[in-house]
Amino acid sequence: MSTRVGVIGGGITGLSAAYQLVSDGHSVVLFEASSRLGGKIAETSIDGSIFPTGPDAFLARRPEVISLAQEVGLGDSLTRPSAQSARIFRNGRLHPLPPNVLGVPATEDLATTGLISPEGAIIAAAGTADIAAAGTTDIAATGTAEFAADQSVGDLVRRQLGDEVLEFLVDPLLGGINAGDSDRLSLQAGVPQLDALHRREGRLLDAAAATLAEAARNADPTAPPAPVFHGIEGGLGRLVDRLTEILVASDRFELHTETTAVLSPRNDTASGWLVNNVEVSHVISTIPAFATAQLLSTIDETAAELLRRIEYSSVALTVMTLAPGTIELDEQISGVLIPRTLGHHVTAVSFASHKWPHLAVGGRQVLRVSTGRRTDTRWVGLSDHDLVAAIEADLTEIFDVEVKATHAEVTRWKDALPQYDVGHNDTIEQIDNALDNHDGLTAIGAWRDGLGLPACVGSGRAAARGISLV
């Protein structure tokens, strides 16, 4: 017998959950507050070309999006960026990244890069390990404070490698992912791969070097380099469109858009829930933490209060087209990161026409420019016109050539990126414990299971698989 499930939120997490539920034989009612599905997978059209105003790619090393794309008939459309080499701006120059793992350098020879000063390189090379308990060789099993307790990425990197390595290498790479602040970013929840690196040897430099050496030994020298990212020909919006087509075609799917979900138990005797007076046996909420808190405010105030503690950053993504040849840059360079300590509005520049050459119509250059982060909200008070002017001024300095956009379109993402502060895992555990008291209620989303598209797709499908047909 089919189970009727309410899915709240029509972003990629909610769509993935709904797709899995329908595939498994459930009936689904999906509630979305806006007029469109897809959430942050969004697009705009400029001169007949489609440009993403949210993510344009996803990590290739995780299988969730790849598997979903293959299942819905888009496997042959998977592609990879043509350019994948980043630069970091400092001292008026664009610097290549030294060998690194998650921004942690895998070499002590940093002074020659120009990115880190000779003094900063000495500090990094002198960095000592977090020492394991006496007589213990398994760092991960020591239980010492350095390894058992959560800490910020900034605390760890500053302690071991100095301020410069954090501010001009690690933070631009890691802090930029969620427009956050590495000095507050949880090591365990925000960058668990870096936590594992830390536990591997204690001294970050040694652990990074060992990790790269191991990867080199295991690599097939005859195979082409594995892609770091994947995209979908025609844009990620095709995945949203395909999921929507499949769902709408099913007689077990019902869609409600432009409606804010209101949740309540059915009554004192019957199990299940009411979502906007629609009876369902289970609810999967995929909306942001602050919206989930509002949803649960009359259901479980403890969970709601914990959810309110999760802060968000707001950002703007500006798609700009430039005249051919405006910026002279190697076409293998995919983008430039700008450290927050330099005080620019721009935090990152993605050369979309390098990554996706089909966008370079007539030789034009296409940039996707990010502004704003947790520690910088100046852009919020600017009009689109003034924000574009500020971006043009920053780009003129960064690339040492006058930059004037032939077209620019600003997309403002308010409260878009959840912040995984120190202690985040403890907060999530407390939320889960509170929700365990409510049968048939699951709350997931980027605030809980990771920001990237693979994490969102994976969490949505996993939540759906956890519901049995009865």
Side-chain angles (χ1 to χ4, degrees):
M1 186 175 79
S2 174
T3 299
R4 195 182 201 193
V5 181
V7 175
I8 300 175
I12 192 61
T13 306
L15 287 173
S16 299
Y19 167 79
Q20 187 65 50
L21 288 163
V22 168
S23 299
D24 290 345
H26 300 282
S27 294
V28 175
V29 187
L30 190 149
F31 301 86
E32 165 57 38
S34 72
S35 61
R36 55 173 290 273
L37 300 177
K40 296 177 183 65
I41 298 179
E43 300 169 334
T44 188
S45 177
I46 300 175
D47 296 333
S49 296
I50 299 298
F51 297 91
T53 56
D56 65 345
F58 55 89
L59 279 175
R61 62 179 172 80
R62 291 192 57 161
E64 294 93 340
V65 181
I66 296 171
S67 296
L68 181 59
Q70 291 170 338
E71 287 181 35
V72 300
L74 295 177
D76 292 340
S77 297
L78 291 170
T79 185
R80 66 177 68 182
S82 297
Q84 299 191 68
S85 176
R87 296 290 186 269
I88 295 181
F89 177 72
R90 188 187 185 190
N91 296 330
R93 293 173 50 205
L94 302 181
H95 301 272
L97 278 65
N100 73 91
V101 177
L102 299 166
V104 173
T107 174
E108 296 183 1
D109 186 20
L110 291 175
T112 59
T113 67
L115 177 61
I116 305 299
S117 72
E119 296 79 12
I122 291 171
I123 291 171
T128 57
D130 289 330
I131 306 301
T136 302
T137 58
D138 183 0
I139 289 175
T142 63
T144 57
E146 292 89 344
F147 297 98
D150 196 11
Q151 60 183 309
S152 76
V153 170
D155 284 343
L156 172 62
V157 175
R158 289 186 193 277
R159 183 174 70 247
Q160 285 208 19
L161 301 172
D163 294 341
E164 280 195 55
V165 168
L166 177 76
E167 294 168 7
F168 295 102
L169 184 52
V170 175
D171 185 70
L173 283 168
L174 298 185
I177 293 173
N178 67 343
D181 178 357
S182 291
D183 286 310
R184 297 177 66 178
L185 177 62
S186 163
L187 179 66
Q188 293 179 356
V191 200
Q193 305 94 326
L194 182 56
D195 187 35
L197 193 74
H198 175 225
R199 293 170 184 271
R200 174 171 179 160
E201 298 199 24
R203 186 172 187 253
L204 290 175
L205 273 173
D206 294 340
T211 298
L212 291 188
E214 181 179 323
R217 288 194 301 270
N218 294 333
D220 181 354
T222 64
V228 178
F229 297 100
H230 273 311
I232 294 177
E233 291 180 7
L236 295 175
R238 288 187 62 199
L239 180 59
V240 172
D241 292 342
R242 184 64 185 132
L243 288 169
T244 303
E245 289 172 5
I246 293 171
L247 291 170
V248 170
S250 171
D251 59 6
R252 295 194 303 274
F253 179 75
E254 183 179 331
L255 176 63
H256 297 258
T257 57
E258 297 184 271
T259 179
T260 299
V262 177
L263 179 67
S264 61
R266 280 183 61 179
N267 55 50
D268 292 336
T269 59
S271 61
W273 299 88
L274 293 174
V275 185
N276 293 5
N277 293 321
V278 176
E279 294 183 1
V280 295
S281 61
H282 296 75
V283 172
I284 299 176
S285 171
T286 69
I287 54 182
F290 51 85
T292 309
Q294 178 64 31
L295 181 75
L296 300 180
S297 60
T298 61
I299 304 295
D300 193 307
E301 180 54 31
T302 297
E305 178 56 33
L306 290 164
L307 284 157
R308 294 186 193 103
R309 297 179 188 176
I310 299 174
E311 297 185 14
Y312 277 68
S313 285
S314 300
V315 295
L317 191 287
T318 302
V319 176
M320 306 179 71
T321 59
L322 310 179
T326 298
I327 298 174
E328 294 185 6
L329 196 66
D330 189 317
E331 291 186 356
Q332 292 305 305
I333 296 176
S334 59
V336 176
L337 302 170
I338 294 86
R340 59 185 168 121
T341 54
L342 300 182
H344 293 81
H345 285 83
V346 172
T347 59
V349 184
S350 175
F351 279 78
S353 49
H354 287 185
K355 296 166 67 176
W356 316 110
H358 70 277
L359 295 177
V361 176
R364 70 184 175 190
Q365 295 182 317
V366 182
L367 311 183
R368 286 167 25 100
V369 183
S370 300
T371 50
R373 61 192 305 162
R374 187 177 196 172
T375 53
D376 182 8
T377 59
R378 291 173 294 168
W379 66 274
V380 174
L382 299 178
S383 67
D384 286 359
H385 177 273
D386 289 342
L387 178 57
V388 170
I391 290 171
E392 290 174 334
D394 280 356
L395 298 182
T396 295
E397 177 186 345
I398 292 165
F399 297 108
D400 195 26
V401 63
E402 184 177 13
V403 174
K404 288 292 182 183
T406 56
H407 186 100
E409 186 164 330
V410 178
T411 301
R412 297 170 182 260
W413 293 106
K414 185 177 184 299
D415 295 331
L417 298 166
Q419 301 300 298
Y420 283 37
D421 286 345
V422 174
H424 184 80
N425 282 343
D426 290 339
T427 299
I428 296 302
E429 182 178 1
Q430 293 176 63
I431 293 170
D432 287 346
N433 289 339
L435 295 184
D436 281 344
N437 297 319
H438 305 284
D439 290 340
L441 176 60
T442 301
I444 57 175
W447 55 268
R448 187 189 188 285
D449 299 302
L451 300 180
L453 295 183
C456 291
V457 169
S459 65
R461 301 190 74 177
R465 291 189 185 107
I467 297 177
S468 301
L469 287 169
V470 295

